[in-house]
Amino acid sequence: MEQTLITLYGRPGCELCESTVAIVRTLIAEEGSRLTLSLVNIEEDPAVHARLLEQIPALEVAGRLLPLAVSPMQIAAFVRSAVGQVDGER
């Protein structure tokens, strides 16, 4: 089974980002090993910082971006939809 990468854009000290990490990790535990989480600190890339500063925490899966990802239901629906899209392409 191929892995689907979930990229979470955030920055240190962001409470919403930390909450979103916990939500995504719970979702990964429920969905199994086909999901992988990558954390990107927007402070480390000026272009990413400028593009996403007012949108963090943001999730990206299969080229789709979910800005201000804070609702557990919204995050789960977004990830499942994106994973379904990826699975359909395989």
Side-chain angles (χ1 to χ4, degrees):
M1 181 180 299
E2 283 191 50
Q3 295 285 307
T4 298
L5 180 64
I6 301 170
T7 303
L8 190 149
Y9 296 95
R11 65 183 187 173
C14 170
E15 290 182 29
L16 289 175
C17 299
E18 292 170 10
S19 176
T20 299
V21 168
I23 293 166
V24 172
R25 286 189 173 144
T26 298
L27 184 62
I28 289 171
E30 292 171 357
E31 294 292 319
S33 62
R34 68 184 183 149
L35 303 176
T36 302
L37 177 61
S38 171
L39 303 176
V40 175
N41 177 355
I42 66 166
E43 302 287 332
E44 295 177 355
D45 183 328
V48 174
H49 184 269
R51 181 172 61 103
L52 294 176
L53 176 62
E54 295 182 13
Q55 299 182 54
I56 62 169
L59 293 176
E60 185 174 15
V61 181
R64 295 174 56 191
L65 186 71
L66 176 64
L68 300 171
V70 294
S71 162
M73 291 177 64
Q74 178 191 39
I75 292 168
F78 172 76
V79 169
R80 288 183 179 124
S81 173
V83 167
Q85 175 186 338
V86 170
D87 287 344
E89 294 172 357
R90 290 182 183 154

